Each structure stands twice: as structure tokens, then as C-alpha cells.
Amino acid sequence: MAEVALVAHDLVRVFGGRRVLDGVSLTAAPGRRIGLIGENGAGKSTLLRLLAGVDQPDGGTVERPPDLGFLHQEMPFAQSAAVADVVDDALAQARADLAELERLGALLATSEDAAAAYAERLELAQRHEAWDADRRAGIVLNGLGLGDVAGERPLGSLSGGELRRLAVAALLVRRPSALLLDEPTNHLDDAAAEFLADQLRGLPGAVVLASHDRAFLDAVCTDLVDLDPSVDGPVRFGGTYSDYVRQKRADRARWERRYLEEQEELAELRESLGITAHRVAPNRVPRDSEKMGYGVRANRVQSQISRRVRNTTRRIEDLERRRVPAPPRPLSFTPDALTSVPAGSVLVSLRQVHVPGRLRLDQLDVRDGARLLVTGPNGAGKSTLLLVLAGRLQADGVRRHPDLRVGLLAQDTEFANPRLTPRATYGRALGAERVARVPLESLGLLHKRDLGKPVGALSVGQQRRLALALLVASPPHLLLLDEPTNHLSPTLCDELEDALGPGPGAIVLASHDRWLRRRWQGESLAL
């Protein structure tokens, strides 16, 4: 039984009158691992749901293998079901393959039909690595940080992160012909993310995934599909995320250059047409030097000019019919500054800080100009440290400058009135004078189409963008960022990193983002 490709043709999906997907085609052949790239709202999750069959397109078709796996689906188990029940379900196909092989093997000597069925089942068992399935299940659970979770534990007792990792583990154990993953590295530490990348590289089937984890995309993907607007629609890039970044910039520059060249040619043709049409205007009186033989020459010249007018007109019509659309202005995060000039050189000083069960830190001074990256495994106290620095969590041993203004971008974004629009929320928080100086649109964090929606209707990523906008519109002396690249597009993550460079004030950020950590140029604190 050969591996089957996952094929989508001309998919269209419309929400609220807006075409989220407009004629998207995709072929995921066995062995290819395709990453979906794009801004929030570009249609990555929508495309995955259409490929999985949990949502239906308004146009187009999908051909999928029968044993497709989709991470975003809810696990079909009650809260009272045990972890072992999920693992047994994932192993069911491999165990069924072995049982059927044993049954057919016993018939080989007496039935001619058994040989063909045995060969087909043997190929299926080899693809599922059935003989090694139980051992592999243990390896997968350990690799995803679930090795210490007892098999008898009910699902209702697991955290959201543990449930998510268990769902990923079940898919890896199953080894489906096609695997669809939406943000698979959420709730994974470095070791688990690297383990997952290694497992996906070893799958024989097709993989399609959407992720904001740039290091993960770089390690896993053989191809990337960019769903952001482009001159030819969604573009497929062959290669890693690093290759994609370079190619994306080159393609954008080429699109802008082609558009400008066509606009210049159109302007020149229109100007030429106006001049030529004036020369062919009727009732022009002949000049003295033209009077002899004017009639013959005039007819010939008029004919040539008319032909030139027709040719120019046809060229203009042809260009306008096939011309490249104007490149849409991409969201581009370019604040004047993330922080402002503080009141003193030492902004916050910590000595022998202890938050029981959450944080223990002997010494830390945050000075003007500091750029500090806080790292450590889940539960090490990164978020707790930011709350202490912000003054939202009281602890002994903390001294801060009396005039210090602090801004905190927390992981969980909440707004007092989710029914207000982003524009109204921004205006109410900052006041008319500040909004006039720093309009929300100027920060490049939200599309105009989203500014009139209720904040509660925005995605998690869009809400975090709005929270970031509120902080940088009135820059604090000390900016604290807790996992700032979560739920942001790769392009915006790159721009945010660029904005974190040297400047006044201080920035402290906690992050598990491996791509950001590899490129970090400031100081680091490992908890």
C-alpha cells in the first residue's frame, strides 16, 4: 500500500463577506513537510481545517488519505478516561496489523488468496512500524515530557499543556499517512520541541503544519507556503525557514520594482498619447512652409500619427489589463522607541528575593540601557520575576526608583471592556492628545479591517498586538515582555527583535523562543 498524497485544489473559504482563502491549491506528497506562513488572519488554521475535513470549503476540493491525523481535533475521550486509554487507542492499528498477519500467516499453506492479503497487510504493518510500536510509544511519551504521568491518571486531572502533549504523542504513535498540526510546539520545552522535530523528520507520510516557532520551521520543513498577499497569490518556497526569509525579501523587492516600472511606463504612454492626439487634432492650419503639397503630405502624416495613437492606446489597454496590482502595505512594526529616558541609572534592585514555590533570586540590578533575556524551563520562575519587577507581586528585597514607569506585556492578555473596538480601547487608554501623536495605525500592529471589530472577537495574537501597541504608544522606563513572540507572525517577531536593540530605558524579556535566544545580543539570566 503506497503512501497517498494530500491534495487541495482551488480552495475558497469566506467568513463575514471576506475571502480568507481565495483559490488556494496545495499538494503535500509523502515525505514532504510543509510549513504554513502568514500574518494572523491569513488563513493558516482555516486551511488546516479544510484539509482535515472538519470544515467545508465554499469552493474547491480536497483529496486526503483515509488515515489522516489532525492535532487540533478534540480527543474523542471522556474526562474520566485514563492516559493509558489514549495510548492504547493510538496503538490499536499496529496491534491489529500484527494480529491479522498472524491469522493470515496460518492460512498461507491452505489458501492462495491469503498470500496477496498477507503481502498487503505486511506492507501496512511495516509502514506503521507495528513490531516496535509499544516501545516507540514509551519513547514518545518520554520525549514529550509525559514519562512521569501515570497511565491510570484520568484526562480530567491533566493540565491543558499535558493534554496537548498527549494529543501530539498519540499522533506520533499512530504514524498516519498525512499529519496536520496547528502550533504543535505550544507547551513544549526545548528538549520536547527538538524531539518532536526529529520524529516528524522520520515520518514517511506528508506533514502540513502552521507554527510561529521559527526555529522549529527551520528544523522541520522541506517547503513553506506563504499565505500573505503576493503578486501571484500564495507562494510555495522550497527549503528552510532561513531560505524563505531571504527569498521573501527578494520577491517583495521584485514585486515593488515591477509595479513601479509598469506605472512609469503607463504614465509615459499616457503623456505620449496626449501629445500625439493633439498633433492629429482636426482643423489645424498649415504653416507657411507646409503650404506647397500640404494636402498630400498632411494625409500621409495624419495617417502615421493616427496609427501611432492606435498602437499607443492598444499598449495602454494591454498593460492595464495585465498590470501587476499594487503591493499591499505589509504590517510593519516600527515604533519610535520601546522605552523612554528613565529617572535614574538603577531602575530596580533585587536582593535575596524569595517567592515560596515560585522564585528564589540572590541579586539582580536592572539599569538604564539594560537589555536582559530571562531563560529557564517551565516553572523556573520567569513570569514570577517579571511580576516582581512590575510591582504586581509583592516581595521583600525589592527597591525601585520612585519615579519609575513600568509596562508589562503578560502572556494572558485581558481587556476591561471586550466589546469596545481596538480604536476605542486605544483612545480611552491614551487620550486624544497622545492618539493624535501616535495613531494606532502607525504602529503597524493591526490591519485596518480589524480596527472596527470588538476586541473580544480578535484572535489571541491580535489581542497581544493591541496590548503591545498600548505599551509602546506611551513608552515606559522599564518594559517587561513575557513570551513576546507567542502568537505573533514570524515577520512581526523579526521586527520586534530589531526594535529591542540599544536605546534608553530598560527591557527585560522572558522567552523560550529558540530563534530569538540564538540571536540575542544583550545580557542573559538563566533561572
Side-chain angles (χ1 to χ4, degrees):
M1 181 182 296
E3 298 284 353
V4 180
L6 175 65
V7 181
H9 183 66
D10 280 342
L11 293 182
V12 176
R13 191 69 176 99
V14 180
F15 290 111
R18 184 173 80 89
R19 289 199 169 210
V20 177
L21 298 175
D22 189 5
V24 174
S25 297
L26 180 99
T27 298
R32 307 304 292 182
R33 298 179 297 277
I34 301 173
L36 303 179
I37 300 289
E39 288 287 345
N40 294 94
K44 301 183 296 295
S45 295
T46 299
L47 178 56
L48 287 174
R49 291 175 61 82
L50 295 180
L51 294 175
V54 299
D55 189 16
Q56 298 304 311
D58 296 299
T61 59
V62 179
E63 300 171 25
R64 59 181 70 86
D67 61 334
L68 178 142
F70 182 33
L71 176 60
H72 221 216
Q73 290 172 314
E74 295 293 328
M75 288 192 294
F77 295 92
Q79 292 287 293
S80 58
V83 170
D85 295 330
V86 177
V87 177
D88 286 340
D89 181 72
L91 290 168
Q93 183 61 57
R95 290 170 175 169
D97 290 340
L98 294 179
E100 184 65 4
L101 280 175
E102 186 174 350
R103 185 187 73 81
L104 291 170
L107 298 176
L108 286 176
T110 58
S111 171
E112 294 181 0
D113 295 334
Y118 186 90
E120 184 176 341
R121 181 64 67 152
L122 177 62
E123 185 178 347
L124 193 63
Q126 289 172 333
R127 180 167 65 78
H128 287 134
E129 296 185 0
W131 292 271
D132 199 37
D134 283 273
R135 186 182 73 88
R136 188 175 68 252
I139 293 173
V140 168
L141 290 172
N142 281 322
L144 294 177
L146 297 170
D148 295 332
V149 177
E152 63 271 14
R153 273 188 65 178
L155 299 185
S157 71
L158 301 183
S159 68
E162 288 172 327
L163 283 170
R164 179 80 169 181
R165 282 180 278 148
L166 182 58
V168 174
L171 287 171
L172 293 178
V173 172
R174 271 182 54 202
R175 294 174 69 83
S177 293
L179 187 54
L180 306 176
L181 304 170
D182 199 350
E183 298 295 345
T185 60
N186 283 2
H187 308 290
L188 298 186
D189 59 19
D190 287 3
E194 290 171 5
F195 173 83
L196 176 58
D198 186 59
Q199 291 288 308
L200 293 179
R201 287 193 297 264
L203 290 178
V207 177
V208 182
L209 62 95
S211 177
H212 291 111
D213 188 333
R214 293 164 291 172
F216 187 74
L217 292 169
D218 208 43
V220 171
C221 294
T222 60
D223 305 83
L224 289 139
V225 173
D226 189 347
L227 294 175
D228 281 338
S230 71
V231 63
D232 298 313
V235 176
R236 182 164 177 161
F237 296 85
T240 65
Y241 176 75
S242 298
D243 298 329
Y244 153 79
V245 170
R246 287 190 292 270
Q247 187 65 42
K248 170 88 169 178
R249 289 172 180 159
D251 287 351
R252 173 77 188 193
R254 189 160 46 248
W255 183 3
E256 291 175 347
R257 186 168 59 250
R258 182 175 162 191
Y259 173 76
L260 289 174
E261 287 172 352
E262 285 192 356
Q263 293 303 304
E264 289 174 0
E265 185 178 358
L266 278 169
E268 290 173 359
L269 286 170
R270 290 186 181 115
E271 183 180 3
S272 171
L273 181 62
I275 294 171
T276 307
H278 176 73
R279 291 180 62 190
V280 79
N283 302 321
R284 183 173 68 85
V285 178
R287 294 187 290 271
D288 290 341
S289 59
E290 295 179 323
K291 289 182 178 178
M292 184 172 292
Y294 173 75
V296 175
R297 277 198 312 275
N299 288 337
R300 186 168 62 248
V301 170
Q302 294 288 81
S303 176
Q304 291 173 350
I305 295 175
S306 296
R307 186 164 58 251
R308 203 174 303 159
V309 167
R310 289 194 301 271
N311 291 340
T312 303
T313 302
R314 277 198 296 269
R315 175 60 180 158
I316 291 174
E317 291 173 349
D318 185 55
L319 266 179
E320 290 182 333
R321 185 170 56 253
R322 298 184 298 104
R323 70 177 173 180
V324 174
R329 184 185 175 200
L331 287 178
S332 183
F333 180 55
T334 53
D336 291 335
L338 294 184
T339 49
S340 57
V341 178
S345 61
V346 177
L347 307 184
V348 186
S349 176
L350 278 63
R351 295 292 185 274
Q352 301 300 321
V353 171
H354 180 212
V355 179
R358 297 173 64 179
L359 176 68
R360 184 182 293 276
L361 190 63
D362 293 337
Q363 178 176 336
L364 176 66
D365 289 325
V366 180
R367 300 176 179 275
D368 174 23
R371 297 296 186 268
L372 177 65
L373 172 65
V374 182
T375 64
N378 293 334
K382 300 188 297 296
S383 296
T384 301
L385 174 58
L386 295 191
L387 290 172
V388 169
L389 291 172
R392 298 190 185 183
L393 182 61
Q394 297 303 314
D396 294 333
V398 180
R399 295 176 57 191
R400 55 175 46 83
H401 195 284
D403 298 325
L404 182 67
R405 287 191 295 106
V406 181
L408 171 64
L409 179 69
Q411 287 197 51
D412 298 320
T413 304
E414 295 183 0
F415 294 92
N417 190 345
R419 290 175 295 181
L420 290 179
T421 65
R423 200 190 301 277
T425 301
Y426 188 79
R428 184 170 292 189
L430 298 176
E433 183 181 347
R434 191 66 191 171
V435 169
R437 290 178 59 189
V438 189
L440 178 56
E441 297 91 324
S442 71
L443 293 172
L445 288 167
L446 289 170
H447 283 288
K448 284 187 178 180
R449 64 171 180 265
D450 298 318
L451 297 182
K453 298 177 181 177
V455 168
L458 300 179
S459 70
V460 175
Q462 290 167 326
Q463 290 182 11
R464 291 208 90 200
R465 290 168 181 236
L466 178 57
L468 181 59
L470 291 169
L471 288 176
V472 302
S474 184
H477 303 138
L478 172 60
L479 179 62
L480 307 170
L481 303 171
D482 197 353
E483 301 292 356
T485 58
N486 280 5
H487 307 291
L488 300 184
S489 70
T491 299
L492 183 57
C493 289
D494 291 338
E495 292 174 350
L496 176 58
E497 287 176 26
D498 292 340
L500 294 173
I507 299 174
V508 180
L509 67 130
S511 180
H512 70 278
D513 186 328
R514 291 172 292 159
W515 189 271
L516 182 151
R517 296 200 322 257
R518 289 173 190 169
R519 307 195 322 161
W520 183 252
Q521 299 295 315
E523 299 178 22
S524 296
L525 171 65
L527 295 180

